[in-house]
Amino acid sequence: MEEKKRALSGIKPTGNLTLGNYIGALREFKKFQDDYESFIFIADLHALTLPIDPIFLKNNTKDIVAFYIAAGLDPEKTTIFLQSDVSAHSELNTILVNYLYMGELSRMTQFKDKSQKMNNEAIGLGLFAYPVLMAADILLYNADVVPVGEDQTQHVELCRDLVHRFNQRYQKEVFVMPKAITPKVGARIMSLSDPTRKMSKSDPKGDIFLKDDLNIIRKKIMSAVTDTGNEIKYDPENKPGISNLLTIYAALSNITVEQAEKQFEGCTQYGVFKKAVADKVIEEIGPFQQRYKEILASGKIDEILSEGARRASYIANKTLRKVKKTVGLYVHDSK
Ligand code: AMP
Ligand code: TRP
Protein backbone atom coordinates (compact mmCIF):
# COMPACT_ATOMS: atom_id res chain seq x y z
CA MET A 1 0.00 0.00 0.00
CA GLU A 2 1.31 3.42 -0.92
CA GLU A 3 1.87 5.68 2.05
CA LYS A 4 -0.33 8.73 2.29
CA LYS A 5 1.21 12.16 1.96
CA ARG A 6 1.11 14.34 5.02
CA ALA A 7 -0.72 17.62 5.59
CA LEU A 8 -0.03 19.89 8.53
CA SER A 9 -1.30 23.26 9.65
CA GLY A 10 -2.05 25.30 12.74
CA ILE A 11 -3.71 28.42 14.04
CA LYS A 12 -2.41 30.49 16.88
CA PRO A 13 -4.87 31.19 19.69
CA THR A 14 -4.24 34.92 19.89
CA GLY A 15 -7.39 36.95 19.14
CA ASN A 16 -10.91 35.81 18.38
CA LEU A 17 -11.03 33.84 15.17
CA THR A 18 -12.47 35.65 12.17
CA LEU A 19 -14.26 34.82 8.98
CA GLY A 20 -10.83 35.30 7.34
CA ASN A 21 -9.40 32.43 9.44
CA TYR A 22 -12.45 30.37 8.59
CA ILE A 23 -12.28 30.83 4.82
CA GLY A 24 -8.49 31.00 4.51
CA ALA A 25 -7.66 28.08 6.77
CA LEU A 26 -10.18 26.41 9.05
CA ARG A 27 -12.62 25.22 6.44
CA GLU A 28 -9.82 24.04 4.17
CA PHE A 29 -8.40 21.67 6.78
CA LYS A 30 -11.06 19.01 6.50
CA LYS A 31 -10.44 18.69 2.76
CA PHE A 32 -7.15 16.97 3.57
CA GLN A 33 -8.20 14.46 6.17
CA ASP A 34 -9.30 11.69 3.81
CA ASP A 35 -6.49 11.72 1.29
CA TYR A 36 -3.64 12.83 3.54
CA GLU A 37 -2.35 11.82 6.92
CA SER A 38 -3.39 15.02 8.57
CA PHE A 39 -2.01 16.95 11.57
CA ILE A 40 -3.78 20.09 12.73
CA PHE A 41 -2.54 21.79 15.85
CA ILE A 42 -2.89 24.87 17.97
CA ALA A 43 0.19 27.08 17.86
CA ASP A 44 -0.04 28.08 21.50
CA LEU A 45 3.70 28.72 21.88
CA HIS A 46 3.47 31.10 18.94
CA ALA A 47 0.70 32.91 20.80
CA LEU A 48 3.27 34.00 23.39
CA THR A 49 5.24 36.00 20.83
CA LEU A 50 3.12 39.05 21.68
CA PRO A 51 1.76 39.88 25.15
CA ILE A 52 -1.43 37.93 25.84
CA ASP A 53 -3.73 37.48 28.84
CA PRO A 54 -3.18 33.96 30.28
CA ILE A 55 -6.87 33.29 30.94
CA PHE A 56 -7.81 34.39 27.46
CA LEU A 57 -5.08 32.20 25.96
CA LYS A 58 -6.27 29.13 27.81
CA ASN A 59 -9.94 29.59 26.97
CA ASN A 60 -9.22 30.51 23.38
CA THR A 61 -7.13 27.35 22.99
CA LYS A 62 -10.11 25.19 23.98
CA ASP A 63 -12.34 27.23 21.71
CA ILE A 64 -10.14 26.53 18.72
CA VAL A 65 -10.19 22.79 19.35
CA ALA A 66 -13.99 23.02 19.31
CA PHE A 67 -13.84 25.14 16.14
CA TYR A 68 -11.67 22.51 14.45
CA ILE A 69 -14.22 19.84 15.12
CA ALA A 70 -17.16 22.11 14.28
CA ALA A 71 -15.43 22.76 10.93
CA GLY A 72 -15.54 19.03 10.20
CA LEU A 73 -12.26 17.68 11.51
CA ASP A 74 -12.70 14.14 12.77
CA PRO A 75 -10.22 13.38 15.58
CA GLU A 76 -10.09 9.78 14.36
CA LYS A 77 -8.75 10.92 11.00
CA THR A 78 -6.91 14.11 11.87
CA THR A 79 -4.43 14.29 14.72
CA ILE A 80 -5.48 17.38 16.67
CA PHE A 81 -2.98 18.56 19.27
CA LEU A 82 -1.36 21.42 21.15
CA GLN A 83 2.09 22.56 20.09
CA SER A 84 3.08 22.93 23.75
CA ASP A 85 2.13 19.29 24.44
CA VAL A 86 4.80 17.99 22.08
CA SER A 87 8.19 19.02 23.46
CA ALA A 88 9.93 18.05 20.22
CA HIS A 89 8.70 21.38 18.73
CA SER A 90 10.76 23.35 21.24
CA GLU A 91 13.71 21.00 20.93
CA LEU A 92 13.88 21.13 17.15
CA ASN A 93 13.43 24.89 17.37
CA THR A 94 16.57 25.09 19.50
CA ILE A 95 18.49 23.26 16.81
CA LEU A 96 17.00 25.13 13.85
CA VAL A 97 17.70 28.62 15.22
CA ASN A 98 21.22 27.98 14.00
CA TYR A 99 20.18 27.37 10.40
CA LEU A 100 18.05 30.44 9.72
CA TYR A 101 19.74 33.79 9.57
CA MET A 102 19.08 37.21 11.11
CA GLY A 103 18.95 38.88 7.69
CA GLU A 104 16.25 36.64 6.26
CA LEU A 105 14.22 36.71 9.48
CA SER A 106 14.30 40.50 9.58
CA ARG A 107 12.84 40.62 6.06
CA MET A 108 9.67 38.70 6.95
CA THR A 109 6.58 40.81 6.29
CA GLN A 110 4.78 39.61 9.40
CA PHE A 111 7.74 40.54 11.58
CA LYS A 112 8.05 43.95 9.95
CA ASP A 113 4.30 44.63 10.34
CA LYS A 114 4.14 43.57 13.94
CA SER A 115 7.39 45.09 15.14
CA GLN A 116 6.88 48.38 13.33
CA LYS A 117 4.33 49.55 15.87
CA MET A 118 6.57 48.56 18.77
CA ASN A 119 9.43 50.11 20.64
CA ASN A 120 12.64 48.36 19.60
CA GLU A 121 13.56 47.69 23.20
CA ALA A 122 10.39 45.65 23.73
CA ILE A 123 10.37 43.34 20.72
CA GLY A 124 10.64 39.78 21.99
CA LEU A 125 13.12 37.39 20.49
CA GLY A 126 10.23 34.98 19.91
CA LEU A 127 8.53 37.38 17.52
CA PHE A 128 11.75 37.64 15.51
CA ALA A 129 12.34 33.89 15.54
CA TYR A 130 8.67 33.07 14.84
CA PRO A 131 9.39 31.39 11.46
CA VAL A 132 11.99 29.10 13.04
CA LEU A 133 9.45 27.52 15.37
CA MET A 134 7.02 27.37 12.47
CA ALA A 135 9.61 25.51 10.42
CA ALA A 136 10.09 23.07 13.32
CA ASP A 137 6.30 22.55 13.39
CA ILE A 138 6.26 21.63 9.72
CA LEU A 139 9.43 19.59 9.51
CA LEU A 140 8.84 17.36 12.53
CA TYR A 141 5.96 15.73 10.65
CA ASN A 142 7.63 15.60 7.22
CA ALA A 143 4.64 17.54 5.94
CA ASP A 144 4.23 17.54 2.17
CA VAL A 145 1.52 20.18 2.14
CA VAL A 146 0.77 23.08 4.46
CA PRO A 147 -2.70 24.59 3.96
CA VAL A 148 -2.58 28.29 4.96
CA GLY A 149 -3.93 31.70 4.02
CA GLU A 150 -1.81 33.92 1.81
CA ASP A 151 -0.13 35.80 4.66
CA GLN A 152 1.67 32.64 5.79
CA THR A 153 3.15 31.58 2.45
CA GLN A 154 6.29 33.66 3.02
CA HIS A 155 7.02 31.67 6.18
CA VAL A 156 6.57 28.39 4.32
CA GLU A 157 8.95 29.67 1.63
CA LEU A 158 11.55 30.37 4.28
CA CYS A 159 11.04 26.86 5.62
CA ARG A 160 11.71 25.56 2.11
CA ASP A 161 14.97 27.52 2.00
CA LEU A 162 15.90 25.93 5.30
CA VAL A 163 15.21 22.44 3.94
CA HIS A 164 17.53 23.09 0.98
CA ARG A 165 20.23 24.45 3.23
CA PHE A 166 19.98 21.68 5.81
CA ASN A 167 19.77 18.75 3.41
CA GLN A 168 22.61 20.19 1.38
CA ARG A 169 24.82 20.71 4.41
CA TYR A 170 24.43 17.10 5.54
CA GLN A 171 24.14 15.63 2.04
CA LYS A 172 20.98 13.70 3.00
CA GLU A 173 17.25 14.05 2.59
CA VAL A 174 16.75 14.71 6.28
CA PHE A 175 13.71 16.93 5.79
CA VAL A 176 10.86 16.63 3.31
CA MET A 177 10.27 19.69 1.14
CA PRO A 178 6.90 21.19 2.17
CA LYS A 179 4.57 23.17 -0.06
CA ALA A 180 2.08 25.86 0.97
CA ILE A 181 -1.44 25.37 -0.34
CA THR A 182 -3.76 28.36 -0.36
CA PRO A 183 -7.46 28.27 -1.16
CA LYS A 184 -8.33 29.18 -4.75
CA VAL A 185 -10.91 31.68 -3.53
CA GLY A 186 -10.48 33.56 -0.25
CA ALA A 187 -6.77 33.23 0.55
CA ARG A 188 -6.90 36.83 1.74
CA ILE A 189 -10.18 38.12 3.14
CA MET A 190 -10.14 41.86 3.74
CA SER A 191 -11.56 43.99 6.55
CA LEU A 192 -15.16 45.11 6.04
CA SER A 193 -14.43 48.60 7.33
CA ASP A 194 -11.20 49.05 5.36
CA PRO A 195 -11.10 46.62 2.45
CA THR A 196 -7.53 47.56 1.64
CA ARG A 197 -6.44 45.83 4.86
CA LYS A 198 -6.49 42.16 5.77
CA MET A 199 -9.21 40.98 8.13
CA SER A 200 -7.20 40.15 11.25
CA LYS A 201 -7.89 38.98 14.76
CA SER A 202 -6.11 41.92 16.29
CA ASP A 203 -8.22 44.51 14.52
CA PRO A 204 -11.79 44.41 15.88
CA LYS A 205 -13.15 47.02 13.48
CA GLY A 206 -14.54 45.51 10.35
CA ASP A 207 -13.91 41.92 11.38
CA ILE A 208 -16.51 39.21 11.51
CA PHE A 209 -15.76 37.01 14.49
CA LEU A 210 -16.82 33.39 14.40
CA LYS A 211 -18.43 33.85 17.80
CA ASP A 212 -20.35 37.01 16.84
CA ASP A 213 -24.09 36.92 17.30
CA LEU A 214 -25.73 36.26 13.92
CA ASN A 215 -27.53 39.62 14.06
CA ILE A 216 -24.24 41.39 14.56
CA ILE A 217 -22.76 39.52 11.59
CA ARG A 218 -25.64 40.71 9.45
CA LYS A 219 -25.21 44.28 10.65
CA LYS A 220 -21.48 44.26 9.95
CA ILE A 221 -22.00 43.01 6.41
CA MET A 222 -24.84 45.43 5.69
CA SER A 223 -22.62 48.33 6.76
CA ALA A 224 -19.48 47.09 4.98
CA VAL A 225 -17.58 49.88 3.21
CA THR A 226 -18.18 49.94 -0.56
CA ASP A 227 -17.61 52.41 -3.36
CA THR A 228 -20.06 54.92 -4.80
CA GLY A 229 -20.90 52.96 -7.95
CA ASN A 230 -23.68 50.42 -8.26
CA GLU A 231 -22.16 47.53 -10.22
CA ILE A 232 -21.36 44.19 -8.63
CA LYS A 233 -17.97 43.63 -10.26
CA TYR A 234 -14.73 42.01 -9.15
CA ASP A 235 -12.17 44.77 -9.37
CA PRO A 236 -9.95 44.75 -6.25
CA GLU A 237 -8.14 47.91 -7.36
CA ASN A 238 -11.14 50.18 -7.87
CA LYS A 239 -13.85 48.31 -5.96
CA PRO A 240 -12.06 46.63 -3.03
CA GLY A 241 -15.16 46.46 -0.82
CA ILE A 242 -17.44 44.83 -3.39
CA SER A 243 -14.62 42.53 -4.51
CA ASN A 244 -14.09 41.34 -0.95
CA LEU A 245 -17.80 40.64 -0.47
CA LEU A 246 -17.90 38.79 -3.80
CA THR A 247 -14.93 36.70 -2.65
CA ILE A 248 -16.65 35.82 0.63
CA TYR A 249 -19.82 34.90 -1.22
CA ALA A 250 -17.98 32.80 -3.82
CA ALA A 251 -15.82 30.99 -1.24
CA LEU A 252 -18.78 30.00 0.90
CA SER A 253 -20.81 28.96 -2.15
CA ASN A 254 -17.90 26.88 -3.49
CA ILE A 255 -17.96 28.72 -6.79
CA THR A 256 -15.48 30.95 -8.58
CA VAL A 257 -15.56 34.71 -8.30
CA GLU A 258 -16.59 34.88 -11.98
CA GLN A 259 -19.57 32.63 -11.28
CA ALA A 260 -20.54 34.81 -8.32
CA GLU A 261 -20.27 37.91 -10.50
CA LYS A 262 -22.63 36.30 -13.01
CA GLN A 263 -25.18 35.59 -10.31
CA PHE A 264 -25.37 39.30 -9.52
CA GLU A 265 -25.27 40.54 -13.08
CA GLY A 266 -27.85 43.27 -13.50
CA CYS A 267 -28.20 43.78 -9.76
CA THR A 268 -27.78 47.51 -9.23
CA GLN A 269 -28.45 47.78 -5.54
CA TYR A 270 -25.62 47.16 -3.14
CA GLY A 271 -28.19 46.58 -0.38
CA VAL A 272 -29.67 43.58 -2.21
CA PHE A 273 -26.21 42.14 -2.87
CA LYS A 274 -25.09 42.65 0.73
CA LYS A 275 -28.21 40.91 2.00
CA ALA A 276 -27.39 37.88 -0.16
CA VAL A 277 -23.82 37.85 1.23
CA ALA A 278 -25.11 38.14 4.81
CA ASP A 279 -27.59 35.28 4.22
CA LYS A 280 -24.79 33.11 2.87
CA VAL A 281 -22.44 33.81 5.80
CA ILE A 282 -25.20 33.19 8.35
CA GLU A 283 -26.30 29.99 6.62
CA GLU A 284 -22.75 28.70 7.13
CA ILE A 285 -21.79 30.19 10.49
CA GLY A 286 -25.14 29.53 12.23
CA PRO A 287 -24.87 25.71 12.20
CA PHE A 288 -21.10 25.98 12.75
CA GLN A 289 -21.70 27.91 15.99
CA GLN A 290 -24.26 25.33 17.06
CA ARG A 291 -21.78 22.48 16.59
CA TYR A 292 -19.08 24.44 18.39
CA LYS A 293 -21.34 24.85 21.44
CA GLU A 294 -22.21 21.16 21.47
CA ILE A 295 -18.56 20.13 21.38
CA LEU A 296 -17.59 22.45 24.22
CA ALA A 297 -20.52 21.11 26.25
CA SER A 298 -19.60 17.48 25.51
CA GLY A 299 -16.51 17.68 27.74
CA LYS A 300 -14.44 15.73 25.20
CA ILE A 301 -11.80 18.34 24.45
CA ASP A 302 -9.18 17.05 26.92
CA GLU A 303 -9.54 13.49 25.74
CA ILE A 304 -9.06 14.54 22.12
CA LEU A 305 -5.96 16.56 23.03
CA SER A 306 -4.39 13.74 25.04
CA GLU A 307 -4.80 11.30 22.22
CA GLY A 308 -3.56 13.88 19.71
CA ALA A 309 -0.46 14.62 21.80
CA ARG A 310 0.32 10.92 22.01
CA ARG A 311 0.09 10.36 18.27
CA ALA A 312 1.91 13.58 17.37
CA SER A 313 4.72 12.97 19.89
CA TYR A 314 5.43 9.56 18.49
CA ILE A 315 6.06 10.92 15.00
CA ALA A 316 7.76 14.14 16.09
CA ASN A 317 10.19 12.31 18.38
CA LYS A 318 11.22 9.99 15.58
CA THR A 319 12.12 12.97 13.39
CA LEU A 320 13.88 14.70 16.26
CA ARG A 321 16.07 11.65 16.85
CA LYS A 322 17.02 11.56 13.20
CA VAL A 323 17.93 15.26 13.23
CA LYS A 324 19.98 14.91 16.40
CA LYS A 325 21.95 12.06 14.88
CA THR A 326 22.43 13.99 11.66
CA VAL A 327 23.96 17.02 13.31
CA GLY A 328 26.16 14.90 15.57
CA LEU A 329 24.39 15.00 18.91
CA TYR A 330 25.10 11.75 20.69
CA VAL A 331 21.87 9.77 20.73
CA HIS A 332 22.34 6.86 23.09
CA ASP A 333 20.23 4.28 24.85
CA SER A 334 18.94 5.52 28.13
CA LYS A 335 18.27 3.13 30.96
P1 AMP B 1 -3.45 33.19 12.46
O1 AMP B 1 -4.68 33.80 12.97
O2 AMP B 1 -2.44 34.21 12.10
O3 AMP B 1 -2.94 32.07 13.31
O4 AMP B 1 -3.88 32.53 11.09
C1 AMP B 1 -4.42 31.25 10.99
C2 AMP B 1 -4.66 30.92 9.55
O5 AMP B 1 -5.69 31.76 9.01
C3 AMP B 1 -3.44 31.12 8.65
O6 AMP B 1 -3.37 30.08 7.70
C4 AMP B 1 -3.72 32.43 7.99
O7 AMP B 1 -3.08 32.56 6.74
C5 AMP B 1 -5.23 32.38 7.83
N1 AMP B 1 -5.81 33.74 7.77
C6 AMP B 1 -5.72 34.69 8.74
N2 AMP B 1 -6.34 35.82 8.35
C7 AMP B 1 -6.83 35.58 7.10
C8 AMP B 1 -7.56 36.37 6.15
N3 AMP B 1 -7.92 37.63 6.41
N4 AMP B 1 -7.89 35.79 4.97
C9 AMP B 1 -7.53 34.52 4.69
N5 AMP B 1 -6.84 33.73 5.54
C10 AMP B 1 -6.49 34.25 6.73
N1 TRP C 1 2.05 31.06 11.74
C1 TRP C 1 0.74 30.55 11.49
C2 TRP C 1 -0.26 31.69 11.55
O1 TRP C 1 -0.05 32.68 12.14
C3 TRP C 1 0.38 29.49 12.50
C4 TRP C 1 1.34 28.38 12.42
C5 TRP C 1 2.33 28.07 13.32
C6 TRP C 1 1.45 27.44 11.35
N2 TRP C 1 3.01 27.00 12.89
C7 TRP C 1 2.52 26.58 11.70
C8 TRP C 1 0.74 27.25 10.17
C9 TRP C 1 2.90 25.53 10.86
C10 TRP C 1 1.15 26.20 9.34
C11 TRP C 1 2.21 25.36 9.68
O2 TRP C 1 -1.25 31.55 10.97
Side-chain angles (χ1 to χ4, degrees):
M1 203 178 75
E2 206 186 315
E3 276 199 21
K4 279 186 180 175
K5 292 202 164 189
R6 294 223 176 115
L8 170 130
S9 194
I11 293 182
K12 59 181 182 306
T14 43
N16 289 312
L17 258 57
T18 68
L19 188 66
N21 293 123
Y22 183 78
I23 293 176
L26 201 48
R27 96 193 251 280
E28 293 297 298
F29 294 165
K30 74 163 185 297
K31 299 182 182 165
F32 294 85
Q33 69 182 354
D34 289 318
D35 298 334
Y36 289 78
E37 195 182 341
S38 195
F39 297 85
I40 302 293
F41 70 101
I42 298 185
D44 52 358
L45 294 172
H46 274 119
L48 299 175
T49 55
L50 287 173
I52 185 165
D53 176 68
I55 296 172
F56 176 80
L57 173 56
K58 181 174 142 200
N59 291 334
N60 201 25
T61 298
K62 283 174 85 173
D63 267 357
I64 298 180
V65 180
F67 281 146
Y68 281 164
I69 297 164
L73 291 188
D74 173 354
E76 299 280 323
K77 295 183 183 167
T78 297
T79 300
I80 299 173
F81 66 99
L82 304 184
Q83 186 184 36
S84 64
D85 266 343
V86 181
S87 58
H89 289 246
S90 302
E91 294 178 64
L92 183 58
N93 178 65
T94 304
I95 295 176
L96 294 184
V97 283
N98 304 299
Y99 299 80
L100 278 170
Y101 305 144
M102 309 269 285
E104 53 199 2
L105 289 170
S106 64
R107 283 191 292 274
M108 291 292 108
T109 306
Q110 180 176 296
F111 174 71
K112 286 197 280 188
D113 282 354
K114 300 218 161 152
S115 59
Q116 211 170 40
K117 304 166 207 146
M118 296 165 69
N119 172 353
N120 249 342
E121 293 297 314
I123 300 169
L125 189 53
L127 187 67
F128 186 64
Y130 186 108
V132 184
L133 180 58
M134 183 159 161
D137 299 337
I138 297 169
L139 301 178
L140 278 174
Y141 301 89
N142 294 318
D144 299 282
V145 297
V146 182
V148 283
E150 194 190 81
D151 61 345
Q152 293 301 315
T153 54
Q154 194 185 34
H155 290 156
V156 180
E157 281 305 314
L158 188 60
C159 177
R160 289 170 60 87
D161 293 344
L162 171 68
V163 170
H164 268 302
R165 188 174 298 161
F166 198 94
N167 288 353
Q168 189 102 49
R169 165 103 61 109
Y170 298 101
Q171 289 294 303
K172 282 208 280 210
E173 292 291 304
V174 184
F175 293 129
V176 169
M177 186 62 79
K179 184 167 171 263
I181 305 237
T182 52
K184 282 196 195 73
V185 184
R188 190 176 175 83
I189 300 295
M190 310 307 274
S191 156
L192 297 184
S193 60
D194 177 1
T196 60
R197 289 190 24 205
K198 193 188 72 165
M199 187 182 281
S200 84
K201 297 186 287 201
S202 43
D203 160 33
K205 276 204 309 174
D207 287 1
I208 292 181
F209 297 114
L210 296 179
K211 290 212 289 191
D212 273 347
D213 193 87
L214 297 180
N215 291 322
I216 305 272
I217 294 185
R218 185 174 293 281
K219 265 204 196 118
K220 286 184 179 172
I221 296 175
M222 293 311 288
S223 51
V225 168
T226 48
D227 56 274
T228 50
N230 61 5
E231 248 189 321
I232 316 296
K233 270 199 83 63
Y234 185 76
D235 178 356
E237 190 106 325
N238 301 307
K239 297 169 84 72
I242 290 293
S243 303
N244 189 39
L245 291 173
L246 263 174
T247 303
I248 293 172
Y249 182 88
L252 295 180
S253 310
N254 300 309
I255 58 176
T256 62
V257 169
E258 293 74 33
Q259 286 169 322
E261 239 177 0
K262 267 227 149 61
Q263 279 191 20
F264 294 101
E265 217 169 44
C267 171
T268 52
Q269 284 172 296
Y270 283 170
V272 173
F273 168 60
K274 284 175 167 177
K275 182 173 177 306
V277 177
D279 287 345
K280 184 55 76 186
V281 173
I282 287 167
E283 186 186 300
E284 174 105 6
I285 299 303
F288 171 80
Q289 289 183 345
Q290 195 54 41
R291 290 194 294 277
Y292 153 81
K293 284 185 194 140
E294 285 164 16
I295 295 144
L296 275 189
S298 76
K300 291 211 175 112
I301 302 275
D302 289 5
E303 208 179 297
I304 292 167
L305 289 177
S306 301
E307 175 58 16
R310 199 186 58 76
R311 295 205 307 240
S313 297
Y314 176 74
I315 292 172
N317 286 333
K318 273 212 301 207
T319 308
L320 183 63
R321 253 178 104 83
K322 181 169 153 195
V323 175
K324 281 179 157 183
K325 282 186 181 162
T326 302
V327 301
L329 297 176
Y330 182 35
V331 179
H332 55 88
D333 290 335
S334 51
K335 281 233 169 77

